[in-house]
Amino acid sequence: MLKSVIPQLLTSFQQMVEHAPAGIFETNLNGQCTYGNSAFRALFGLDNHSSLTNQLNAFFHPDDKAGVIKQWLHCVKQGHRFSYTFRVQLPEQDIQQITINAEPVFIDNELIAYIGCVEDVSELSHAQQLLKENQHRYKLAIKGSSAGIWDWNILDDSVYYSEKFTDLLGFDNLAFGTNWSSLTDQVHPDDIELFENQLQNHLDDPFEIFDIECRLITQKNNPHWFNIVGEAVRDQNGYPLRMVGSISDITDKKQSQHVIWQQANFDPLTALPNRNMFADRLKQEIIKSKRHGFKFALMFIDLDHFKEVNDTLGHDAGDHVLVEVAERLQLILRGSDTIARIGGDEFTALISQICEMENVEGIAQKLIQTIELPFYYQGESIFISASIGITLFPEHSDRMDELMKFADQAMYRSKDEGRKRFSYFTPAMQEKANINRQLTQELRLAIVDHDFKVLYQPIMCLKTGEVHKAEALIRWHHPEMGTISPAEFIPLAERCGAIIDIGNWIFSTAAKQVQHWQQTLDPDFQISINKSPAQFQNPDPSADSRWIDALTHLGLNKGICLEITEGLLLDDGSIIHQRLQKFQAAGFEISLDDFGTGYSSLSYLTKFDINFLKIDRAFVSDLENSLQNQALCEAIIVMSHKLGLKVIAEGVETSNQLNFLKLAECDYAQGYYISRPITAEEFERQLKSPTPFNLNQ
């Protein structure tokens, strides 16, 4: 039974070998193939009738043939297993890479042959070469990258830290460590909780990104900001196996961001919050106060006469004062309050969680008192004051824009009432603001609709009692509101720019009027018109030329006197000087109005060509009772005459005032005692009467 099965088994085995997918061969000790199955023959492109003995060597790549033979002879000599990978060049095919593995066959301990298999490993070899090249590129990329690379084997807690990684932290690569704690130990204590939370979130959830900006402590114990990112090598069940990532130093970026944030939110001079930051804190305070039912106060603080500090002592002095103002204000307020500089000489204060109004008023009074104390700069004593407007949350409003607007309106009320005080917002202020807004819109229409008219107030020569000068004063007769004072609408016109058109209209009207009076009353008659700083700041270069051309065309040499305020001379001396010289060369004269009420400096009286100096009514009004005012008026008159200036006293309302001015040798006077402002027709009638301007007698 057994003898009949063996031949069948041998036949079956031969069939299996012949049709096996792998190339199976047999070779003698000389390396000549004595058998090759179908797969073997197909690999080399041989059919079943081709001879194996003499053809295979011809397929070996010339560069590899010597190595194959050498290895074969060595194995045969030692009776070892033959295993070798080399290249073959097959007909009409690309070069291929094959691997041959052959086992020695022994009979009675004598090596008689080799049986083995051959495998085409071209694709595998190519893949291995690509992998090798990619690994090389990866190493080069790691080495050349500005980021530090880390590769964490989570299972055994081993970490590869690139050389750049340790360089960024200032450590020697060998001394840094090779586990995860080597990194986490360097995380800043204030950032470690955030770091660990984000890491755990990423390990637990593959959709959570591990991308964090935190501080790491360098080898020199200095914290630097780093961006650390890492990602989700996981097994098929999503369990984390490894984590690969990088770090990059973003300290410079953080510092730049901080500088930008600082510039966007803080005043560079005083280091106080600026308008932007204050608005954000006010917004947060409103939210908090609504939630908890708190009250708070918002204060607008404006420095009085600060412009004169800049104009007389320079901007360095002004900056010095602003810095010290900020320091003084911070000393008054609590740590929970906010003080900000919102621009120029304007500050705001947010007084949180107030209980009693007395507390607010006490703080406001302390702020005013601390600003009143003298400031010192390079041996100069500087005195300013503060006007404060106060609005309350939620009494006056619970909206941020309204609170800011109401506090601003209250501050202007303090200004109007004499400065150096505080005022609460009232609904009447809002009504006044609404009226001002309406008037601003109607100012330009008033010229077209002929709602403006010019009145003339006589200016009397005190030596002769004659009147050959007058001041042109504008009045607005509103069709609904009646007569509106210039004190109300001129500031509005200056702010909205309508003062340019209004000023041109006044000049044109007054110029025609003085031409008529020079022709009919007095060839030396002169009319004074006020020219505000806003008109001098008009960027239109032709504005001055139109006035000059008109004066020349009408033949009015010295017929118009421009009244300017002393503050104008402080704005920009060189430019103003040039423009005033241009007017004077064309025949205009210049009068300095309201002398002594501002931050006066005598230097500009000699620097600028002034013809007249007007003593402000504040010094004239109490001449009978104030020895100080008498001394000031006399001093101004004597000084002006020494400088070649003529003096006009305004606001004369009594005979005693007029007589004092005559004795003091003042040149001119104007005021209600002589005449109120009157129409051109009434003015002309008075001058033609037998007793013109009878001094109200």
Side-chain angles (χ1 to χ4, degrees):
M1 183 71 178
L2 182 60
K3 289 183 179 180
S4 63
V5 172
I6 290 177
Q8 294 179 17
L9 289 175
L10 291 174
T11 301
S12 296
F13 179 75
Q14 289 176 344
Q15 291 295 321
M16 290 174 59
V17 169
E18 180 64 26
H19 298 292
I24 299 175
F25 67 93
E26 178 184 57
T27 181
N28 61 26
L29 300 183
N30 293 325
Q32 296 175 327
C33 286
T34 57
Y35 171 78
N37 70 352
S38 298
F40 181 88
R41 289 173 175 271
L43 178 64
F44 289 97
L46 302 175
D47 57 32
N48 292 333
H49 304 289
S50 300
S51 172
L52 298 177
T53 305
N54 299 320
Q55 297 188 30
L56 290 185
N57 288 348
F59 296 148
F60 293 175
H61 193 281
D63 293 341
D64 294 353
K65 181 179 291 186
V68 176
I69 295 174
K70 181 179 180 181
Q71 181 67 14
W72 171 258
L73 294 176
H74 173 75
C75 291
V76 170
K77 182 178 180 180
Q78 301 294 329
H80 290 170
R81 180 176 184 269
F82 176 80
S83 179
Y84 203 75
T85 300
F86 58 97
R87 291 170 292 174
V88 294
Q89 179 67 63
L90 303 178
E92 299 181 359
Q93 294 188 31
D94 294 332
I95 296 175
Q96 290 178 283
Q97 192 96 350
I98 65 171
T99 295
I100 292 180
N101 291 292
E103 297 293 337
V105 178
F106 293 91
I107 296 180
D108 296 330
N109 294 323
E110 180 183 355
L111 178 63
I112 62 169
Y114 275 85
I115 297 177
C117 67
V118 62
E119 182 180 5
D120 187 347
V121 295
S122 299
E123 292 186 4
L124 176 61
S125 177
H126 179 65
Q128 289 175 335
Q129 180 62 28
L130 288 178
L131 178 60
K132 183 178 180 181
E133 291 175 358
N134 288 338
Q135 288 174 336
H136 180 66
R137 294 191 189 103
Y138 177 66
K139 290 179 180 178
L140 289 177
I142 290 177
K143 190 172 183 179
S145 173
S146 61
I149 307 300
W150 50 270
D151 186 344
W152 179 27
N153 186 326
I154 299 174
L155 298 180
D156 63 8
D157 193 36
S158 62
V159 186
Y160 163 75
Y161 297 106
S162 71
E163 185 176 348
K164 184 64 177 179
F165 182 103
T166 53
D167 283 347
L168 288 172
L169 292 176
F171 285 91
D172 179 84
N173 188 264
L174 298 176
F176 185 70
T178 59
N179 53 28
W180 186 244
S181 63
S182 301
L183 170 59
T184 57
D185 286 347
Q186 305 307 128
V187 179
H188 192 282
D190 293 342
D191 298 341
I192 188 64
E193 183 177 358
L194 175 65
F195 180 92
E196 291 181 342
N197 286 341
Q198 288 209 20
L199 174 64
Q200 193 60 51
N201 290 340
H202 177 67
L203 293 175
D204 293 341
D205 186 349
F207 296 104
E208 285 289 334
I209 299 173
F210 182 68
D211 186 344
I212 185 174
E213 293 182 354
C214 66
R215 288 161 292 179
L216 300 181
I217 307 300
T218 67
Q219 193 271 340
K220 294 183 178 180
N221 206 31
N222 295 324
H224 276 225
W225 279 96
F226 287 89
N227 178 221
I228 307 178
V229 296
E231 187 175 358
V233 180
R234 301 171 184 269
D235 63 14
Q236 60 184 3
N237 297 318
Y239 187 83
L241 303 176
R242 296 173 60 200
M243 192 170 179
V244 180
S246 66
I247 68 167
S248 53
D249 193 326
I250 57 170
T251 303
D252 291 343
K253 172 188 170 185
K254 278 290 186 179
Q255 290 174 345
S256 298
Q257 289 176 341
H258 178 73
V259 170
I260 294 172
W261 180 82
Q262 190 80 14
Q263 292 174 342
N265 293 284
F266 288 87
D267 172 47
L269 178 64
T270 64
L272 292 177
N274 61 12
R275 182 185 293 272
N276 183 56
M277 174 62 80
F278 184 78
D280 182 70
R281 292 192 180 179
L282 177 57
K283 179 181 178 180
Q284 298 304 320
E285 188 68 24
I286 291 174
I287 295 173
K288 181 179 70 175
S289 297
K290 283 182 177 180
R291 182 182 299 124
H292 299 290
F294 295 151
K295 297 181 180 181
F296 67 81
L298 173 61
M299 296 183 180
F300 258 51
I301 306 164
D302 189 86
L303 304 182
D304 304 322
H305 306 300
F306 178 76
K307 183 178 182 298
E308 286 85 345
V309 177
N310 277 335
D311 292 338
T312 58
L313 299 177
H315 288 279
D316 287 344
D319 289 348
H320 174 82
V321 170
L322 289 173
V323 170
E324 190 166 339
V325 165
E327 293 172 352
R328 293 185 186 185
L329 296 179
Q330 291 179 92
L331 290 175
I332 300 296
L333 299 181
R334 303 166 298 177
S336 58
D337 300 328
T338 298
I339 184 75
R341 182 187 176 212
I342 60 173
D345 60 348
E346 292 183 325
F347 295 81
T348 51
L350 184 60
I351 316 300
S352 62
Q353 298 185 34
I354 58 174
C355 299
E356 304 293 337
M357 288 302 100
E358 291 79 3
N359 297 340
V360 177
E361 294 175 6
I363 292 174
Q365 197 59 52
K366 287 180 180 178
L367 293 176
I368 291 173
Q369 290 171 353
T370 192
I371 301 301
E372 278 189 290
L373 297 174
F375 297 83
Y376 300 99
Y377 179 75
Q378 295 184 350
E380 294 278 352
S381 297
I382 302 173
F383 294 90
I384 59 174
S385 57
S387 297
I388 299 179
I390 306 173
T391 188
L392 303 174
F393 173 94
E395 285 86 342
H396 297 148
S397 178
D398 60 358
R399 291 174 47 189
M400 184 170 70
D401 57 339
E402 288 188 344
L403 288 169
M404 297 280 281
K405 179 175 65 176
F406 292 165
D408 190 44
Q409 292 174 4
M411 182 270 291
Y412 276 107
R413 179 184 177 187
S414 296
K415 292 275 191 186
D416 294 340
E417 291 183 352
R419 300 184 173 92
K420 200 169 67 174
R421 66 190 66 220
F422 65 85
S423 301
Y424 285 102
F425 167 79
T426 65
M429 294 180 192
Q430 182 60 27
E431 183 179 351
K432 176 68 173 175
N434 292 336
I435 293 174
N436 287 344
R437 185 166 57 252
Q438 178 185 349
L439 293 179
T440 299
Q441 295 170 349
E442 297 175 352
L443 271 171
R444 298 185 188 278
L445 294 175
I447 299 177
V448 179
D449 295 339
H450 305 289
D451 292 334
F452 288 127
K453 70 176 182 178
V454 177
L455 301 182
Y456 300 89
Q457 187 171 35
I459 300 175
M460 177 177 285
C461 176
L462 293 181
K463 286 185 178 179
T464 65
E466 297 176 349
V467 173
H468 50 80
K469 287 173 64 67
E471 181 178 359
L473 299 167
I474 189 172
R475 295 293 184 266
W476 184 5
H477 292 283
H478 193 280
E480 298 175 1
M481 301 180 187
T483 301
I484 301 174
S485 167
E488 291 187 59
F489 71 82
I490 290 297
L492 299 178
E494 290 178 331
R495 286 200 287 269
C496 74
I499 192 64
I500 305 300
D501 292 336
I502 294 173
N504 290 337
W505 179 82
I506 296 174
F507 169 75
S508 177
T509 303
K512 293 175 183 177
Q513 188 62 59
V514 75
Q515 182 192 43
H516 172 70
W517 284 343
Q518 284 186 353
Q519 293 172 350
T520 60
L521 299 176
D522 184 344
D524 294 325
F525 204 93
Q526 185 182 71
I527 292 179
S528 298
I529 61 175
N530 291 280
K531 192 171 177 68
S532 77
Q535 290 171 275
F536 273 97
Q537 293 161 2
N538 181 14
D540 182 4
S542 65
D544 292 349
S545 299
R546 285 197 291 267
W547 286 33
I548 291 171
D549 293 344
L551 195 76
T552 304
H553 177 72
L554 295 173
L556 300 178
N557 187 44
K558 297 186 178 180
I560 297 292
C561 179
L562 301 180
E563 291 200 5
I564 63 175
T565 60
E566 58 185 354
L568 175 67
L569 303 182
L570 301 174
D571 280 343
D572 191 335
S574 61
I575 296 176
I576 297 301
H577 193 193
Q578 294 172 8
R579 298 186 70 175
L580 290 179
Q581 282 183 324
K582 192 175 177 182
F583 278 116
Q584 287 180 310
F588 289 86
E589 291 195 317
I590 307 296
S591 176
L592 191 60
D593 197 12
D594 300 334
F595 182 80
T597 58
Y599 205 90
S600 301
S601 174
L602 301 181
S603 63
Y604 55 65
L605 292 179
T606 58
K607 188 184 302 182
F608 296 92
D609 296 326
I610 307 297
N611 303 102
F612 301 94
L613 189 150
K614 298 188 78 170
I615 302 176
D616 188 77
R617 65 182 67 249
F619 301 113
V620 176
S621 62
D622 200 24
L623 275 176
E624 296 97 332
N625 304 314
S626 173
L627 294 176
Q628 185 180 31
N629 280 8
Q630 292 175 12
L632 285 171
C633 286
E634 289 176 333
I636 292 173
I637 293 168
V638 171
M639 176 195 67
S640 299
H641 288 167
K642 290 286 187 181
L643 295 174
L645 307 179
K646 292 185 178 181
V647 183
I648 303 171
E650 58 182 349
V652 178
E653 298 183 352
T654 68
S655 60
N656 289 338
Q657 293 170 359
L658 189 69
N659 291 332
F660 175 86
L661 293 169
K662 284 182 179 180
L663 292 174
E665 299 184 350
C666 185
D667 300 290
Y668 297 94
Q670 74 179 93
Y672 282 10
Y673 184 70
I674 299 170
S675 173
R676 292 175 178 271
I678 55 179
T679 64
E681 295 76 16
E682 177 63 17
F683 196 102
E684 189 170 333
R685 188 187 66 78
Q686 286 275 10
L687 280 180
K688 291 180 179 179
S689 70
T691 56
F693 305 109
N694 60 4
L695 304 182
N696 294 328
Q697 294 176 353

